[in-house]
Amino acid sequence: LTAFSKAALGRSVAALAVTVPRVETHHRETRERKTDPFSSPDYAGGALVNLVAELELRFTGTAPHPGLHPPLAAAIPQADSYVLVLFDGLGDYQLAHPAAAPILASRVGVIDAGWPTTTTVSMATVATGMTPAEHGLLGYQMRIPESRCRAGV
């Protein structure tokens, strides 16, 4: 998560850049890389759905999910509007590459992608403000046993 703010035409605008990893997760307490690759996303305040909820809370005062954990929420400046940019397939592990040094230097926090970590799932989470189990878009194709076929989602 990278955040910065700028005054434009008398209004404050905050830009949030989110890298959406393929398969990686982080420790809830320290926000460092997890050693257990099968850990669940931190939907209590450290995941993409919580970033969406944080923005909803700031604009409307309500959200279906908790906002970000306080240290992550504090990293996002207050603003009249927000621009959310997602970098698909670029996760925290990839930021160790020397070419990603400017992005790594501006990182203010780490959040988990939903599970499974696909573009479809992450975009649906941003669009709906729900976890994958709630919005139901879990991949690119789903098998429908009754019809013996696969359906594109």
Side-chain angles (χ1 to χ4, degrees):
L1 178 66
T2 301
F4 68 90
S5 64
K6 176 101 174 146
L9 301 173
R11 295 182 54 129
S12 60
V13 177
L16 309 173
V18 178
T19 59
V20 180
R22 283 292 175 224
V23 179
E24 78 184 45
T25 53
H26 301 84
H27 283 295
R28 288 181 180 88
E29 296 80 23
T30 63
R31 309 310 299 155
E32 295 174 3
R33 291 185 184 108
K34 292 180 185 176
T35 55
D36 179 5
F38 300 107
S39 311
S40 299
D42 179 10
Y43 292 140
L48 184 59
V49 71
N50 305 109
L51 173 60
V52 175
E54 182 70 30
L55 298 177
E56 284 183 273
L57 287 166
R58 291 181 185 200
F59 285 123
T60 68
T62 63
H65 290 279
L68 292 168
H69 293 303
L72 287 171
I76 300 172
Q78 290 294 330
D80 296 319
S81 60
Y82 294 88
V83 176
L84 180 62
V85 179
L86 283 94
F87 293 93
D88 189 30
L90 177 63
D92 204 44
Y93 290 123
Q94 289 84 8
L95 294 182
H97 190 279
I103 298 171
L104 180 61
S106 63
R107 183 184 71 188
V108 296
V110 177
I111 59 175
D112 297 333
W115 186 261
T117 55
T118 65
T119 302
T120 300
V121 172
S122 293
M123 294 301 108
T125 295
V126 170
T128 64
M130 294 188 273
T131 65
E134 294 167 321
H135 60 61
L137 295 175
L138 304 177
Y140 300 107
Q141 295 183 344
M142 299 185 85
R143 182 175 167 268
I144 303 172
E146 299 81 24
S147 67
R148 295 183 178 187
C149 67
R150 284 182 267 168
V153 291

